Amino acid sequence: MSARLLVAGVGNIFLADDAFGPGVIRAPDRRPLPAEVRVRDFGIRGMDLAYELLDGYDTVVLVDAAVRGHRAGTLSLIEPDLPVGTAGAAPPEAHASARECGTRSSGPSRPCTPWFPCCSPTRGPRLC
């Protein structure tokens, strides 16, 4: 069985820089991807993301904007064991689920590697 990868863009497209996650995952839209890779825009649907994580991925990448005290445009990686301070698009439940992303709704659990790359926004969330 091949390793399964989920790349999830999270963020609100109507709130300034918070659309970073959905914007990033649009890039591979026109490129062919291996069958075991799923790229999806979850936007602000944190519960949909939480349920998707139950599907048993080997690696999950949640792409989001996050105010982390860095200069605007700075890319960083949030370590899964640290408190997650995202811009609010994915609720804490979804981030907690990502830590247990190897748990399957059917079948045995297996280890999973979560990644939380994020970008520091130029301004805080506001309506466009």
Side-chain angles (χ1 to χ4, degrees):
M1 184 161 133
S2 3
R4 295 183 64 218
L5 167 68
L6 172 66
V7 180
V10 293
N12 189 334
I13 62 170
F14 298 110
L15 293 177
D17 292 339
D18 196 33
F20 176 75
V24 167
I25 61 102
R26 281 190 206 114
D29 272 355
R30 293 183 181 94
R31 296 185 182 133
L33 296 171
E36 53 278 340
V37 175
R38 179 148 191 211
V39 177
R40 187 166 168 207
D41 176 4
F42 284 92
I44 58 172
R45 297 179 321 275
M47 290 307 295
D48 288 346
L49 173 58
Y51 282 114
E52 181 72 26
L53 293 173
L54 295 175
D55 242 3
Y57 291 94
D58 298 290
T59 303
V60 172
V61 179
L62 298 178
V63 184
D64 199 357
V67 177
R68 305 211 49 219
H70 303 298
R71 196 177 79 212
T74 301
L75 297 175
S76 59
L77 182 66
I78 298 175
E79 298 294 331
D81 294 327
L82 299 176
V84 179
T86 66
E93 295 83 9
H95 290 289
S97 294
R99 291 185 189 108
E100 300 170 11
C101 55
T103 304
R104 291 175 167 248
S105 52
S106 61
S109 294
R110 60 183 182 195
C112 177
T113 305
W115 296 92
F116 301 102
C118 58
C119 182
S120 296
T122 42
R123 58 186 180 268
R126 68 174 176 75
L127 290 176
C128 294

